[in-house]
Structures are given as structure tokens and as C-alpha cells.
Amino acid sequence: MDFLNAIILLLNYIFVPALTYGSQLALGAIFVTLIYGILRFANFATGDMMSFGTMFTILFTWYFQSVGISLGVLPTALLAIPFAIIFMIGYMLLIDKFVFQYYRIKKSPPVQLAMVSIGVMFVTQAVVRIIIGPSDRRFFDGEKFLIRAGEFKDMTGLNEGLAIKSTQVITILVTVILVSTLFWFLNKTKTGKSMRAYSDNEDLALLSGIDPKKIVMITWIIAGILATIGGALYGLDKSFKPFTYFNNMLPIFAAAIVGGIGNPFGAFLGGYVIAFSEILLTYAYKKFFMYVLPESMEPDGLVQLLSTDYKFAVSFSILVIVLLYRPSGIFKGKVL
């Protein structure tokens, strides 16, 4: 019985939260790797672009709630996301036309484009704060829990309860569907194959008749979808605060680099590597060891390798280790 309690404890506090958090990081990491693989620069505005898309999701959610439109047990935000995606794509295409396109035509080096993206990051962050403010915003409605800890205890007779939030299940399911659709698009459709060809060899792709303007536009459209959905899922699960999305830039970039920058599948798995590493290393295992060890060997302290305050230090450490020992990432190979 104690062993089962220990397993439920890990599921409740490590596995399910890490799977959810990893899904959110994975979408951001694919965003980063897609921009890098096709447009050939590191977009440091990723976190704030996710924040921008989430802001419109919140605004449309509030509007639908004000006129009495909802999805019942599901969050109203799911209804708002498609409208937010339209505004997000429009914003990205606008930024590309008036900012990135100029440097792309000039054939500026990737470092210069990366520096420009930092400027875009500050502008985007300012716009979000002006429109919705810097405060914490909660926009979740509907059924909060699919399984409550108390109900689980009553059903099983265990001391530990398993609580699964509806946002966790929604995040995992939406991520699997979205990523599967993206991989199918990149590998099976004519446009997807053109994007991969453009990424692999731009000059040869142009000689083959591939329209670079179309490739750039499709890339930003996909990036807008990923940013809005990833940001909205993170906000639904944890609440929305603009500066939090800026902080998430480090684990998102770490996930993209760990998986192999330019490799969408690697970025997808890299999100889970970072999420599980952060949570495994910052969780306090005292209660777990109380279940699995004899009473005489029970620990006195928290048995915590790192405080949760150092969560981002885990991402940074993994990033440094990968850059030192395997710069190409886990999945070395062909971009896209």
C-alpha cells in the first residue's frame, strides 16, 4: 500500500505536471526551431509573442463571457483561440513586413536579425502591458478538475490523492493533435516539402521555382498558431502574467537546443526533457522516502536537490552542458 501511495505521489506532483509543462514548452520550442530552420535567425521575441497571442485569447474570452457565450464544462478560451490566432498572425506578418523583411532582403547576418528580434521583444512586451496591464490575469472557466484528490482517495482507499485538472488533459491532447498535424504537413504536403527544401538549400529551392515570399508567409502563420495556442494553454494552466512569458524564453530555447536546433521533432522532445529535469530536481522527496523506506531510515529534511527558486538554473545548466558536449543537440541531422 505504501508503494502505491509513493507512485501516486510522484504521478500527482511530478509526472502529470511535467507532462503538461513539457507540452507547453514543446510548442514554444518548435516555434523557435521553425523560425531558425527556415528564416535562419534566433527569435528572442518568442516568449512575448506567446504573451501577445494569449492577450487576445483573454480579451476574446472576456467578450464571449460578457455576452453569455461559453462551452459549458470546457474553458471559453478554447472558443477564443481561433480569433486570437487571426490577430496573432496579422501582427507577425506586420512585424515581418516592416522589420524583418528589410534585413532579410539585405542578406543581414543571423546575429543582426537576432538583435533586431530583441527590439521586437521589447516592443511586443510594451504593447501587451499597455493593453492588458502587468497584473496577473485568470481567464479559466468551466470544470476545473476531472479527478479530485479527495474523490480519488475515497475510490481507492489510499492516503495519497490524484488530482487531474481539465487544463492538463486539454494541454496534452491539443499538443499531440497540433504537433501531429504539423509533422504531417511538413512531411506529406507540397507546401511542407517546399519549406523543408527551402530550409535545406535556399538557392537550390529558388532555382526549383519555390516562392520564398510564400514560404516566409506560411512560416509566420504556423509560428502564430504555435505561439497563440502554446501561450494560451500555459495561461489556462497557470494564469497569465506578461513577465512570466519573458522568463519562459530560457527553458524554451534550452528545449530547442537540447533537441537539436532546427529539428522540430527534437524540439518537441526537448520540451519534455527540460520540464521533467526542472521538476525532478526541484521536488522535495521527503514524503516519497517516508513511504518507501523503513521508519528508522526516514529523512529529517526535505530531500530537495534544488529550491524551486532555482528552477531556471536547471534549464541553463542543461543548456550549457549540451552546448559543451553535444552542440548539435540530441537529434543531430537534417534540419526540418
Side-chain angles (χ1 to χ4, degrees):
M1 189 67 76
D2 283 346
F3 179 75
L4 287 176
N5 280 314
I7 295 298
I8 296 302
L9 186 72
L10 294 182
L11 284 174
N12 200 32
Y13 291 103
I14 293 180
F15 186 78
V16 174
L19 202 59
T20 307
Y21 180 43
S23 298
Q24 295 153 4
L25 290 183
L27 295 180
I30 295 173
F31 174 105
V32 169
T33 211
L34 197 67
I35 296 297
Y36 181 87
I38 296 175
L39 303 184
R40 295 176 177 82
F41 73 94
N43 188 359
F44 288 103
T46 299
D48 290 290
M49 284 182 168
M50 293 174 75
S51 174
F52 190 89
T54 308
M55 175 190 71
F56 274 104
T57 302
I58 294 171
L59 295 177
F60 276 107
T61 298
W62 286 347
Y63 170 73
F64 289 138
Q65 289 172 342
S66 68
V67 296
I69 298 174
S70 71
L71 290 177
V73 296
L74 296 175
T76 307
L78 296 179
L79 189 62
I81 284 175
F83 297 93
I85 286 173
I86 294 171
F87 279 85
M88 184 72 235
I89 291 171
Y91 178 72
M92 283 188 163
L93 293 177
L94 193 70
I95 290 293
D96 181 70
K97 181 175 177 60
F98 291 102
V99 181
F100 293 121
Q101 182 177 276
Y102 170 78
Y103 295 94
R104 193 166 54 248
I105 292 172
K106 284 183 63 179
K107 300 290 184 182
S108 299
V111 172
Q112 191 170 357
L113 278 162
M115 294 302 102
V116 170
S117 75
I118 293 177
V120 173
M121 175 188 75
F122 286 121
V123 170
T124 304
Q125 191 177 112
V127 170
V128 171
R129 293 188 180 200
I130 289 170
I131 294 176
I132 204 169
S135 304
D136 194 3
R137 305 287 184 181
R138 294 188 179 274
F139 59 107
F140 176 79
D141 57 359
E143 188 67 34
K144 187 173 184 180
F145 289 97
L146 295 181
I147 301 176
R148 296 179 183 273
E151 295 172 352
F152 186 86
K153 289 179 183 179
D154 293 338
M155 287 189 300
T156 60
L158 296 172
N159 294 330
E160 291 296 326
L162 179 63
I164 298 179
K165 296 190 293 184
S166 57
T167 52
Q168 293 173 327
V169 176
I170 290 169
T171 295
I172 294 167
L173 288 177
V174 169
T175 299
V176 170
I177 293 170
L178 182 59
V179 171
S180 299
T181 304
L182 176 62
F183 289 164
W184 171 84
F185 173 80
L186 290 174
N187 289 287
K188 300 297 182 182
T189 66
K190 184 178 178 181
T191 303
K193 291 176 181 178
S194 298
M195 291 172 68
R196 293 171 60 201
Y198 184 84
S199 172
D200 191 49
N201 191 316
E202 181 178 347
D203 293 331
L204 187 58
L206 295 177
L207 289 174
S208 302
I210 293 174
D211 184 1
K213 292 183 179 179
K214 179 182 177 183
I215 296 300
V216 171
M217 183 183 70
I218 295 296
T219 301
W220 282 117
I221 288 173
I222 295 174
I225 294 170
L226 291 169
T228 305
I229 295 177
L233 291 176
Y234 184 88
L236 280 172
D237 189 46
K238 297 176 175 67
S239 83
F240 172 83
K241 196 170 185 178
F243 197 72
T244 302
Y245 287 78
F246 172 77
N247 288 338
N248 282 343
M249 188 174 68
L250 175 58
I252 286 172
F253 266 81
I257 293 171
V258 165
I261 188 70
N263 188 318
F265 183 71
F268 173 70
L269 293 184
Y272 295 103
V273 170
I274 295 299
F276 274 92
S277 298
E278 286 187 0
I279 293 177
L280 283 168
L281 293 174
T282 58
Y283 178 68
Y285 290 90
K286 179 179 179 179
K287 200 171 184 182
F288 171 78
F289 285 118
M290 289 175 68
Y291 281 123
V292 299
L293 293 177
E295 188 174 345
S296 59
M297 297 177 64
E298 289 178 0
D300 296 324
L302 292 175
V303 194
Q304 188 178 24
L305 294 174
L306 288 172
S307 166
T308 51
D309 294 332
Y310 295 96
K311 184 179 74 169
F312 290 123
V314 176
S315 302
F316 182 75
S317 300
I318 294 173
L319 179 60
V320 170
I321 292 169
V322 169
L323 289 175
L324 286 175
Y325 294 101
R326 194 176 175 84
S328 58
I330 298 172
F331 293 90
K332 179 181 179 181
K334 190 169 178 257
V335 173
L336 290 177

Coordinates of all heavy atoms in Angstrom, one line a residue, residues 46-112:
T46 N 10.2 35.2 -28.9 CA 9.3 34.1 -28.8 C 8.3 34.2 -27.6 O 7.1 34.1 -27.7 CB 10.1 32.8 -28.7 OG1 10.9 32.6 -29.9 CG2 9.1 31.6 -28.6
G47 N 8.9 34.4 -26.4 CA 8.1 34.4 -25.2 C 7.0 35.5 -25.2 O 5.9 35.3 -24.9
D48 N 7.4 36.7 -25.7 CA 6.5 37.8 -25.7 C 5.5 37.7 -26.8 O 4.4 38.2 -26.7 CB 7.3 39.1 -25.8 CG 8.0 39.4 -24.5 OD1 7.4 39.7 -23.5 OD2 9.3 39.3 -24.5
M49 N 5.9 37.0 -27.9 CA 4.9 36.7 -29.0 C 3.8 35.7 -28.4 O 2.6 35.9 -28.8 CB 5.6 36.2 -30.2 CG 6.3 37.2 -31.0 SD 7.1 36.6 -32.5 CE 7.4 38.2 -33.3
M50 N 4.2 34.8 -27.6 CA 3.2 33.9 -27.0 C 2.4 34.7 -26.0 O 1.1 34.4 -25.9 CB 4.0 32.8 -26.2 CG 4.7 31.8 -27.1 SD 5.7 30.6 -26.2 CE 4.4 29.5 -25.6
S51 N 2.9 35.7 -25.3 CA 2.2 36.5 -24.5 C 1.2 37.4 -25.2 O 0.0 37.6 -24.8 CB 3.1 37.4 -23.7 OG 2.4 38.4 -22.9
F52 N 1.6 37.8 -26.4 CA 0.7 38.7 -27.3 C -0.5 37.9 -27.7 O -1.6 38.3 -27.7 CB 1.5 39.1 -28.5 CG 0.8 40.2 -29.3 CD1 0.9 41.5 -29.1 CD2 0.0 39.8 -30.4 CE1 0.3 42.5 -29.8 CE2 -0.6 40.7 -31.2 CZ -0.5 42.1 -30.9
G53 N -0.3 36.6 -28.2 CA -1.4 35.8 -28.6 C -2.3 35.4 -27.4 O -3.5 35.4 -27.6
T54 N -1.7 35.2 -26.3 CA -2.5 34.9 -25.1 C -3.4 36.1 -24.7 O -4.5 35.9 -24.3 CB -1.6 34.5 -23.9 OG1 -0.8 33.4 -24.3 CG2 -2.5 34.0 -22.8
M55 N -2.8 37.3 -24.8 CA -3.6 38.5 -24.5 C -4.9 38.6 -25.3 O -6.0 38.9 -24.8 CB -2.7 39.7 -24.8 CG -3.4 41.1 -24.6 SD -2.5 42.5 -25.2 CE -2.6 42.2 -27.0
F56 N -4.8 38.3 -26.6 CA -6.0 38.4 -27.4 C -7.0 37.2 -27.1 O -8.2 37.4 -27.2 CB -5.6 38.3 -28.9 CG -5.3 39.7 -29.5 CD1 -4.0 40.1 -29.7 CD2 -6.4 40.6 -29.7 CE1 -3.8 41.3 -30.2 CE2 -6.1 41.9 -30.2 CZ -4.8 42.2 -30.5
T57 N -6.4 36.1 -26.7 CA -7.3 35.0 -26.2 C -8.1 35.4 -25.0 O -9.3 35.2 -24.9 CB -6.4 33.8 -25.9 OG1 -5.7 33.3 -27.0 CG2 -7.3 32.6 -25.4
I58 N -7.4 36.1 -24.1 CA -8.1 36.6 -22.9 C -9.1 37.6 -23.2 O -10.3 37.6 -22.7 CB -7.1 37.2 -21.9 CG1 -6.1 36.1 -21.4 CG2 -7.7 37.9 -20.7 CD1 -4.9 36.7 -20.6
L59 N -8.8 38.6 -24.1 CA -9.8 39.6 -24.5 C -11.0 39.0 -25.1 O -12.1 39.4 -24.8 CB -9.1 40.6 -25.4 CG -7.9 41.5 -24.8 CD1 -7.3 42.4 -25.9 CD2 -8.4 42.3 -23.6
F60 N -10.8 38.1 -26.0 CA -12.0 37.5 -26.7 C -12.8 36.6 -25.7 O -14.0 36.5 -25.8 CB -11.5 36.6 -27.9 CG -11.4 37.4 -29.1 CD1 -10.1 37.7 -29.6 CD2 -12.4 37.9 -29.8 CE1 -9.9 38.4 -30.8 CE2 -12.3 38.6 -31.0 CZ -11.0 38.9 -31.5
T61 N -12.0 36.0 -24.8 CA -12.7 35.2 -23.7 C -13.6 36.1 -22.9 O -14.8 35.7 -22.6 CB -11.7 34.5 -22.8 OG1 -10.9 33.6 -23.6 CG2 -12.4 33.7 -21.7
W62 N -13.1 37.2 -22.5 CA -13.9 38.1 -21.7 C -15.1 38.6 -22.5 O -16.2 38.8 -21.9 CB -13.0 39.3 -21.3 CG -12.0 39.0 -20.2 CD1 -12.0 37.9 -19.4 CD2 -10.9 39.8 -19.8 NE1 -10.9 37.9 -18.5 CE2 -10.3 39.1 -18.7 CE3 -10.4 41.0 -20.2 CZ2 -9.1 39.6 -18.1 CZ3 -9.3 41.5 -19.5 CH2 -8.7 40.8 -18.5
Y63 N -14.9 38.8 -23.7 CA -16.0 39.3 -24.6 C -17.1 38.2 -24.6 O -18.3 38.5 -24.4 CB -15.5 39.7 -26.0 CG -16.7 39.9 -26.9 CD1 -17.4 41.1 -26.9 CD2 -17.1 39.0 -27.9 CE1 -18.5 41.3 -27.7 CE2 -18.1 39.2 -28.7 CZ -18.8 40.4 -28.7 OH -19.9 40.6 -29.5
F64 N -16.7 37.0 -24.9 CA -17.7 35.9 -25.0 C -18.4 35.7 -23.7 O -19.6 35.5 -23.7 CB -17.0 34.6 -25.5 CG -16.6 34.6 -26.9 CD1 -15.3 34.1 -27.3 CD2 -17.4 35.1 -27.9 CE1 -14.9 34.1 -28.6 CE2 -17.0 35.1 -29.2 CZ -15.7 34.6 -29.6
Q65 N -17.7 35.8 -22.6 CA -18.3 35.6 -21.3 C -19.3 36.8 -21.0 O -20.3 36.6 -20.4 CB -17.2 35.6 -20.2 CG -16.4 34.3 -20.2 CD -15.2 34.4 -19.3 OE1 -14.8 35.5 -18.8 NE2 -14.6 33.3 -18.9
S66 N -19.0 38.0 -21.5 CA -19.8 39.2 -21.2 C -21.2 39.0 -22.0 O -22.2 39.6 -21.5 CB -19.1 40.4 -21.6 OG -18.9 40.5 -23.0
V67 N -21.2 38.3 -23.1 CA -22.4 38.2 -23.9 C -23.1 36.8 -23.6 O -24.0 36.4 -24.3 CB -22.1 38.4 -25.4 CG1 -21.7 39.8 -25.7 CG2 -21.1 37.3 -25.9
G68 N -22.5 36.1 -22.7 CA -23.2 34.8 -22.2 C -22.8 33.6 -23.1 O -23.5 32.6 -23.0
I69 N -21.7 33.7 -23.9 CA -21.3 32.6 -24.7 C -20.3 31.8 -23.9 O -19.3 32.3 -23.4 CB -20.7 33.0 -26.0 CG1 -21.8 33.8 -26.8 CG2 -20.2 31.8 -26.8 CD1 -21.3 34.4 -28.1
S70 N -20.5 30.5 -23.8 CA -19.5 29.6 -23.1 C -19.5 28.2 -23.7 O -20.4 27.9 -24.5 CB -19.8 29.6 -21.6 OG -20.9 28.8 -21.4
L71 N -18.6 27.4 -23.3 CA -18.5 26.0 -23.7 C -18.9 25.0 -22.6 O -18.5 23.9 -22.6 CB -17.1 25.7 -24.2 CG -16.7 26.3 -25.6 CD1 -15.3 26.0 -25.9 CD2 -17.7 25.9 -26.7
G72 N -19.6 25.5 -21.6 CA -20.0 24.6 -20.5 C -18.9 24.2 -19.6 O -18.2 25.0 -19.0
V73 N -18.6 22.9 -19.6 CA -17.6 22.4 -18.8 C -16.2 22.7 -19.3 O -15.2 22.6 -18.6 CB -17.7 20.8 -18.6 CG1 -19.0 20.5 -17.9 CG2 -17.6 20.1 -19.9
L74 N -16.1 23.0 -20.6 CA -14.8 23.4 -21.2 C -14.5 24.9 -21.1 O -15.4 25.7 -21.0 CB -14.8 23.0 -22.7 CG -14.9 21.5 -23.0 CD1 -15.0 21.2 -24.5 CD2 -13.7 20.7 -22.4
P75 N -13.2 25.3 -21.1 CA -12.9 26.7 -21.0 C -13.4 27.5 -22.2 O -13.3 27.0 -23.3 CB -11.4 26.7 -20.9 CG -11.0 25.4 -20.5 CD -12.0 24.4 -21.0
T76 N -14.0 28.7 -22.0 CA -14.4 29.5 -23.1 C -13.2 29.9 -23.9 O -13.4 30.3 -25.1 CB -15.1 30.8 -22.5 OG1 -16.1 30.4 -21.6 CG2 -15.7 31.6 -23.6
A77 N -12.0 29.9 -23.4 CA -10.8 30.3 -24.1 C -10.6 29.4 -25.3 O -10.0 29.9 -26.3 CB -9.6 30.2 -23.2
L78 N -11.1 28.2 -25.3 CA -10.9 27.3 -26.5 C -11.7 27.9 -27.7 O -11.3 27.7 -28.8 CB -11.4 25.9 -26.2 CG -10.6 25.1 -25.1 CD1 -11.3 23.8 -24.9 CD2 -9.2 25.0 -25.5
L79 N -12.8 28.6 -27.4 CA -13.6 29.2 -28.4 C -12.9 30.5 -28.9 O -13.0 30.9 -30.0 CB -15.0 29.6 -27.9 CG -16.0 30.1 -28.9 CD1 -16.3 29.0 -29.9 CD2 -17.3 30.4 -28.1
A80 N -12.1 31.1 -28.0 CA -11.5 32.4 -28.3 C -10.2 32.2 -29.1 O -9.8 33.1 -29.8 CB -11.2 33.2 -27.0
I81 N -9.5 31.1 -28.9 CA -8.2 30.9 -29.5 C -8.2 31.1 -31.0 O -7.3 31.8 -31.5 CB -7.7 29.5 -29.1 CG1 -7.2 29.5 -27.7 CG2 -6.5 29.1 -30.0 CD1 -6.7 28.1 -27.2
P82 N -9.2 30.6 -31.8 CA -9.1 30.8 -33.3 C -9.1 32.3 -33.7 O -8.4 32.7 -34.6 CB -10.4 30.1 -33.8 CG -10.6 29.0 -32.8 CD -10.2 29.6 -31.5
F83 N -9.9 33.1 -32.9 CA -9.9 34.5 -33.2 C -8.6 35.2 -32.8 O -8.1 36.1 -33.5 CB -11.1 35.2 -32.4 CG -12.4 34.7 -32.9 CD1 -13.0 33.6 -32.2 CD2 -13.1 35.2 -33.9 CE1 -14.3 33.1 -32.6 CE2 -14.4 34.7 -34.3 CZ -14.9 33.7 -33.6
A84 N -8.0 34.7 -31.7 CA -6.7 35.3 -31.3 C -5.6 34.9 -32.3 O -4.7 35.7 -32.5 CB -6.4 34.7 -29.9
I85 N -5.7 33.7 -32.9 CA -4.7 33.3 -33.8 C -4.7 34.2 -35.0 O -3.7 34.6 -35.6 CB -5.0 31.9 -34.3 CG1 -4.6 30.9 -33.2 CG2 -4.3 31.5 -35.6 CD1 -5.0 29.4 -33.5
I86 N -5.9 34.7 -35.5 CA -6.0 35.6 -36.6 C -5.3 36.9 -36.3 O -4.5 37.4 -37.2 CB -7.5 35.9 -37.0 CG1 -8.2 34.6 -37.4 CG2 -7.6 37.0 -38.0 CD1 -9.7 34.7 -37.6
F87 N -5.5 37.5 -35.1 CA -4.8 38.7 -34.8 C -3.3 38.5 -34.6 O -2.5 39.3 -35.0 CB -5.4 39.3 -33.5 CG -6.7 40.0 -33.7 CD1 -7.9 39.4 -33.7 CD2 -6.6 41.4 -33.8 CE1 -9.1 40.1 -33.9 CE2 -7.8 42.1 -34.0 CZ -9.0 41.5 -34.0
M88 N -2.9 37.3 -34.1 CA -1.5 37.0 -33.9 C -0.8 36.9 -35.2 O 0.3 37.4 -35.4 CB -1.4 35.7 -33.1 CG 0.0 35.3 -32.7 SD 0.7 36.3 -31.4 CE 2.2 36.9 -32.2
I89 N -1.4 36.2 -36.2 CA -0.8 36.0 -37.5 C -0.7 37.4 -38.2 O 0.3 37.7 -38.8 CB -1.7 35.1 -38.4 CG1 -1.6 33.7 -37.8 CG2 -1.2 35.2 -39.8 CD1 -2.5 32.7 -38.5
G90 N -1.7 38.2 -38.0 CA -1.7 39.6 -38.6 C -0.5 40.4 -38.0 O 0.2 41.1 -38.7
Y91 N -0.3 40.3 -36.7 CA 0.7 41.0 -36.0 C 2.1 40.5 -36.5 O 3.0 41.3 -36.8 CB 0.6 40.8 -34.5 CG 1.7 41.5 -33.7 CD1 1.8 42.9 -33.6 CD2 2.7 40.8 -33.1 CE1 2.8 43.5 -32.9 CE2 3.7 41.4 -32.4 CZ 3.8 42.8 -32.3 OH 4.8 43.4 -31.6
M92 N 2.3 39.2 -36.6 CA 3.5 38.6 -37.1 C 3.9 39.0 -38.5 O 5.0 39.4 -38.8 CB 3.5 37.1 -36.9 CG 3.7 36.6 -35.5 SD 3.9 34.8 -35.4 CE 4.5 34.7 -33.8
L93 N 2.9 39.0 -39.4 CA 3.1 39.4 -40.8 C 3.4 40.9 -40.9 O 4.2 41.3 -41.7 CB 1.9 39.0 -41.6 CG 1.6 37.5 -41.8 CD1 0.3 37.3 -42.6 CD2 2.7 36.8 -42.5
L94 N 2.8 41.7 -40.0 CA 3.1 43.1 -40.0 C 4.5 43.3 -39.5 O 5.3 44.1 -40.1 CB 2.1 43.8 -39.0 CG 2.0 45.3 -39.1 CD1 1.4 45.8 -40.4 CD2 1.3 45.8 -37.9
I95 N 4.9 42.7 -38.5 CA 6.3 42.8 -38.0 C 7.3 42.3 -39.0 O 8.4 43.0 -39.2 CB 6.5 42.0 -36.7 CG1 5.7 42.6 -35.5 CG2 8.0 41.8 -36.3 CD1 6.2 44.0 -35.1
D96 N 7.0 41.3 -39.7 CA 7.9 40.8 -40.7 C 8.0 41.8 -41.9 O 9.1 42.0 -42.4 CB 7.4 39.4 -41.3 CG 8.4 38.9 -42.3 OD1 9.5 38.5 -42.0 OD2 8.0 38.8 -43.5
K97 N 6.9 42.3 -42.3 CA 6.9 43.3 -43.4 C 7.7 44.5 -43.1 O 8.5 45.0 -43.9 CB 5.5 43.6 -43.8 CG 5.4 44.6 -45.0 CD 4.0 44.8 -45.4 CE 3.9 45.8 -46.6 NZ 4.6 45.4 -47.8
F98 N 7.5 45.1 -41.9 CA 8.2 46.4 -41.6 C 9.5 46.3 -40.8 O 10.1 47.3 -40.6 CB 7.2 47.2 -40.8 CG 6.0 47.7 -41.6 CD1 4.7 47.1 -41.5 CD2 6.1 48.7 -42.5 CE1 3.7 47.5 -42.2 CE2 5.0 49.2 -43.3 CZ 3.8 48.5 -43.1
V99 N 9.8 45.1 -40.4 CA 11.1 44.9 -39.6 C 12.0 43.9 -40.3 O 13.0 44.2 -40.8 CB 10.8 44.6 -38.1 CG1 12.1 44.4 -37.4 CG2 9.9 45.6 -37.5
F100 N 11.6 42.6 -40.2 CA 12.5 41.5 -40.6 C 12.8 41.5 -42.1 O 13.8 41.1 -42.5 CB 11.9 40.2 -40.1 CG 11.9 40.0 -38.6 CD1 10.7 39.8 -37.9 CD2 13.1 40.1 -37.9 CE1 10.7 39.6 -36.5 CE2 13.1 39.9 -36.5 CZ 11.9 39.7 -35.8
Q101 N 11.8 41.8 -42.9 CA 11.9 41.8 -44.3 C 13.1 42.6 -44.8 O 13.8 42.2 -45.7 CB 10.6 42.2 -45.0 CG 10.6 42.1 -46.5 CD 9.3 42.5 -47.1 OE1 8.4 41.6 -47.2 NE2 9.2 43.7 -47.5
Y102 N 13.2 43.8 -44.2 CA 14.3 44.7 -44.6 C 15.7 44.0 -44.5 O 16.5 44.1 -45.4 CB 14.2 46.0 -43.8 CG 15.4 46.9 -43.9 CD1 15.5 47.7 -45.0 CD2 16.4 46.9 -43.0 CE1 16.6 48.6 -45.2 CE2 17.5 47.7 -43.1 CZ 17.6 48.6 -44.2 OH 18.7 49.4 -44.3
Y103 N 15.9 43.4 -43.3 CA 17.2 42.7 -43.1 C 17.3 41.5 -43.9 O 18.5 41.1 -44.2 CB 17.3 42.4 -41.6 CG 17.3 43.7 -40.7 CD1 16.2 44.2 -40.2 CD2 18.5 44.4 -40.5 CE1 16.2 45.4 -39.4 CE2 18.6 45.5 -39.8 CZ 17.4 46.0 -39.2 OH 17.5 47.2 -38.5
R104 N 16.2 40.8 -44.2 CA 16.3 39.6 -45.0 C 16.7 39.9 -46.4 O 17.5 39.2 -47.0 CB 14.9 38.9 -45.0 CG 15.0 37.5 -45.5 CD 13.7 36.7 -45.2 NE 12.5 37.3 -45.5 CZ 11.6 37.8 -44.7 NH1 11.8 37.8 -43.4 NH2 10.5 38.4 -45.1
I105 N 16.1 41.0 -47.0 CA 16.5 41.5 -48.3 C 17.9 41.9 -48.4 O 18.6 41.6 -49.4 CB 15.5 42.6 -48.8 CG1 14.1 42.1 -48.9 CG2 16.0 43.2 -50.1 CD1 13.1 43.2 -49.2
K106 N 18.4 42.5 -47.3 CA 19.8 42.9 -47.3 C 20.8 41.8 -47.0 O 22.0 42.0 -47.0 CB 20.0 44.0 -46.2 CG 19.5 45.4 -46.5 CD 19.8 46.4 -45.4 CE 21.3 46.5 -45.2 NZ 21.6 47.5 -44.1
K107 N 20.2 40.6 -46.8 CA 21.1 39.4 -46.5 C 21.9 39.7 -45.3 O 23.1 39.3 -45.2 CB 22.0 39.1 -47.7 CG 21.3 38.7 -49.0 CD 20.5 37.4 -48.9 CE 19.9 37.0 -50.2 NZ 19.1 35.7 -50.1
S108 N 21.3 40.3 -44.2 CA 22.0 40.5 -43.0 C 22.4 39.2 -42.3 O 21.7 38.2 -42.4 CB 21.1 41.4 -42.1 OG 20.8 42.6 -42.7
P109 N 23.5 39.3 -41.5 CA 23.9 38.0 -40.8 C 22.8 37.7 -39.7 O 22.1 38.5 -39.2 CB 25.2 38.4 -40.2 CG 25.2 39.9 -40.2 CD 24.4 40.4 -41.3
P110 N 22.8 36.4 -39.4 CA 21.8 35.9 -38.4 C 21.9 36.7 -37.1 O 20.9 36.9 -36.4 CB 22.1 34.4 -38.2 CG 22.8 34.0 -39.5 CD 23.5 35.3 -40.0
V111 N 23.1 37.0 -36.7 CA 23.3 37.7 -35.4 C 22.6 39.1 -35.4 O 21.9 39.5 -34.4 CB 24.8 38.0 -35.1 CG1 25.0 38.9 -33.9 CG2 25.5 36.6 -34.9
Q112 N 22.6 39.8 -36.5 CA 21.9 41.1 -36.6 C 20.4 40.9 -36.5 O 19.7 41.6 -35.9 CB 22.3 41.7 -38.0 CG 21.8 43.2 -38.1 CD 22.4 43.9 -39.2 OE1 23.2 43.4 -40.0 NE2 22.0 45.2 -39.4

